[in-house]
Amino acid sequence: MTTQQILEKLVSFPVLGGDSNLEIINWIKQYTESFGIKTFLVYNSDNTKASLHCRIGPAINGGTILSGHTDVVPVKNQPWYTNPFKLVEKPDGNLYARGSCDMKGFLACCLSALPKMVKANLKKPIYFAFSYDEEIGCLAAEALINHIKATYSETPKFAIIGEATMLQPIIGQKSIHILDITVNGSEGHSSRIKQEVSAIHEAAKIVLWAEEKMNTLVKTSNDARFNPPHTSLHVGTINGGIAANIIANKVTLSLDIRCLPKDNPNILYQDLIHFCRERENTQRAIFSDFKIDVEENHPIVPAFSTNENAEAVNLIGEITGNYNWNTVSYASEAGYFANAGFEAIICGPGSIKQAHRANEFISKDQLHKGAQMIETLVSYLETSA
């Protein structure tokens, strides 16, 4: 199968984050095993989802993991011009479908190179590591990595996470932590604002806390490699109140925290909890049932930072010709691989500008270059001692 034919097959599986991915992962398993490669599945607790990993080549230290995810984001209420789960080639040279860019294009590049991999005299192995539920919090990454470390006697060195970067090496990402906050105040007549506890007024204090915390970090912690060069705190949604003359008794808001690798998201979370508890203690003198609930919407996905002079940067340069690294502020599974001791780097075909939007596409040129990158990796590992 060509890279485009494999991509056409992969996008036909409408696996959203949170859905069972067994149909697509079993197809990948059967395809991979048809070349004589033994695969391993890492199931979730109720066996409705699975990650896949395998090794191609010798059991020797220093191999390279190719990491990707099988799930995609929803298409509901997006203005698609074509069936989002059918690959459509248009005269503009682009291939349209959900997941074509993020990131089944990379998976297709890996799988289409498999025939060359199995025939090659690899001096170092290549591993596939394909996960589920990346789009809702990288939920499978840690278990997948632990299973890889427990399965193979040798130790891989590199992890290439194939998110869409236009084949530019990405050496760092921020962490992400999304929180849903519910403020429970007391309802009453607006004239009694000092005798009641307005959930809206208290929610506003949380927004101001986030703004002030971010401003402090702008002054005290920065990294010029990132844009913006500081940790960001952003309230993306806020809902509450029913009328101008009624004190609101409930407000919900969402807080998105993206930390530089040098900043600790757990400390920021504890700072937020401490602030909320202080507000509860203060306002319960007025309304004894006042409460602020903080729940995780998106668990902490760790940041990562690879040195610009690391071997992984040179590896990507050797197989793409691009040594000009960058960093990103979106989350991926790279942080988990880095924390597990692998030299992680993000590099894959397609543009992140196309991810998560209607009429997502990958250009045929990028898909071709992505396949070339993997095939060049195979050639590189035939000669690299």
Side-chain angles (χ1 to χ4, degrees):
M1 297 177 72
T2 66
T3 309
Q4 185 169 330
Q5 287 171 334
I6 294 173
L7 178 58
E8 183 176 18
K9 184 65 177 181
L10 294 177
V11 301
S12 71
F13 297 102
V15 180
L16 307 184
D19 290 349
S20 171
N21 76 327
L22 293 184
E23 192 174 2
I24 185 173
I25 210 69
N26 282 325
W27 185 88
I28 293 172
K29 174 182 172 67
Q30 291 168 11
Y31 175 87
T32 303
E33 291 185 343
S34 72
F35 293 93
I37 301 301
K38 182 178 181 180
T39 64
F40 298 88
L41 296 184
V42 186
Y43 288 93
N44 66 339
S45 60
D46 58 4
N47 293 329
T48 58
K49 309 170 191 178
S51 300
L52 175 146
H53 67 85
C54 65
R55 179 186 64 215
I56 306 102
I60 296 173
N61 290 338
T64 301
I65 298 170
L66 301 177
S67 162
H69 59 83
T70 58
D71 60 315
V72 297
V73 295
V75 299
K76 187 177 180 180
N77 297 325
Q78 288 187 328
W80 281 80
Y81 302 137
T82 61
N83 180 344
F85 298 107
K86 179 178 175 59
L87 194 69
V88 176
E89 180 179 349
K90 292 191 175 183
D92 59 7
N94 297 325
L95 302 168
Y96 291 81
R98 172 60 87 222
S100 57
C101 172
D102 183 16
M103 60 182 296
K104 292 176 178 177
F106 178 74
L107 298 185
C109 292
C110 295
L111 293 171
S112 68
L114 189 54
K116 182 173 182 176
M117 292 179 188
V118 298
K119 293 177 182 178
N121 182 25
L122 295 173
K123 302 298 190 296
K124 300 284 179 66
I126 295 173
Y127 305 81
F128 290 167
F130 302 157
S131 67
Y132 61 87
D133 283 357
E134 191 272 352
E135 294 290 5
I136 58 171
C138 300
L139 302 185
E142 195 166 15
L144 172 58
I145 293 167
N146 288 340
H147 202 274
I148 289 172
K149 296 178 77 171
T151 299
Y152 306 108
S153 58
E154 76 283 1
T155 303
K157 182 170 185 178
F158 304 107
I160 300 174
I161 291 79
E163 296 284 357
T165 71
M166 296 294 286
L167 300 176
Q168 180 180 32
I170 300 299
I171 65 170
Q173 74 175 37
K174 294 181 179 180
S175 66
I176 181 173
H177 195 197
I178 299 178
L179 301 167
D180 290 333
I181 304 171
T182 303
V183 183
N184 297 283
S186 57
E187 192 174 62
H189 194 283
S190 58
S191 65
R192 289 177 46 81
I193 185 58
K194 287 298 186 181
Q195 287 78 46
E196 305 287 352
V197 178
S198 166
I200 287 178
H201 286 218
E202 290 300 319
K205 290 180 173 65
I206 295 173
V207 176
L208 291 174
W209 173 89
E211 181 78 12
E212 291 168 2
K213 178 66 71 172
M214 179 168 59
N215 290 339
T216 298
L217 291 169
V218 168
K219 297 175 183 177
T220 60
S221 178
N222 62 79
D223 187 334
R225 300 177 303 165
F226 289 87
N227 182 23
H230 58 80
T231 290
S232 63
L233 291 88
H234 167 251
V235 175
T237 64
I238 185 165
N239 296 283
I242 57 176
N245 61 351
I246 299 175
I247 296 169
N249 66 345
K250 184 176 182 179
V251 168
T252 58
L253 61 152
S254 62
L255 176 62
D256 173 294
I257 304 174
R258 296 176 187 261
C259 281
L260 294 173
K262 66 171 64 176
D263 292 337
N264 190 329
N266 290 295
I267 291 177
L268 277 179
Y269 173 73
Q270 292 302 324
D271 287 348
L272 170 65
I273 296 300
H274 179 71
F275 175 79
C276 291
R277 297 300 167 258
E278 283 187 333
R279 293 308 306 164
E280 286 177 341
N281 292 336
T282 297
Q283 296 298 72
R284 281 175 178 170
I286 301 173
F287 176 57
S288 61
D289 289 333
F290 175 65
K291 188 177 182 182
I292 303 174
D293 291 315
V294 181
E295 295 185 359
E296 281 191 335
N297 173 293
H298 192 300
I300 295 175
V301 175
F304 91 99
S305 180
T306 296
N307 188 286
E308 62 190 79
N309 298 313
E311 291 181 59
V313 180
N314 182 69
L315 173 64
I316 295 298
E318 289 287 334
I319 63 177
T320 66
N322 190 350
Y323 293 85
N324 297 316
W325 55 265
N326 204 342
T327 63
V328 294
S329 294
Y330 61 75
S332 77
E333 294 177 334
Y336 286 102
F337 283 95
N339 287 351
F342 304 113
E343 206 167 291
I345 194 160
I346 304 173
C347 185
S351 170
I352 195 64
K353 294 178 182 178
Q354 297 305 320
H356 296 200
R357 67 190 303 168
N359 306 300
E360 175 185 347
F361 68 80
I362 188 170
S363 71
K364 292 183 68 175
D365 178 65
Q366 274 291 298
L367 189 66
H368 173 68
K369 288 179 178 177
Q372 279 189 319
M373 178 184 79
I374 304 301
E375 292 182 4
T376 305
L377 173 66
V378 176
S379 299
Y380 179 81
L381 292 176
E382 284 187 295
T383 58
S384 176

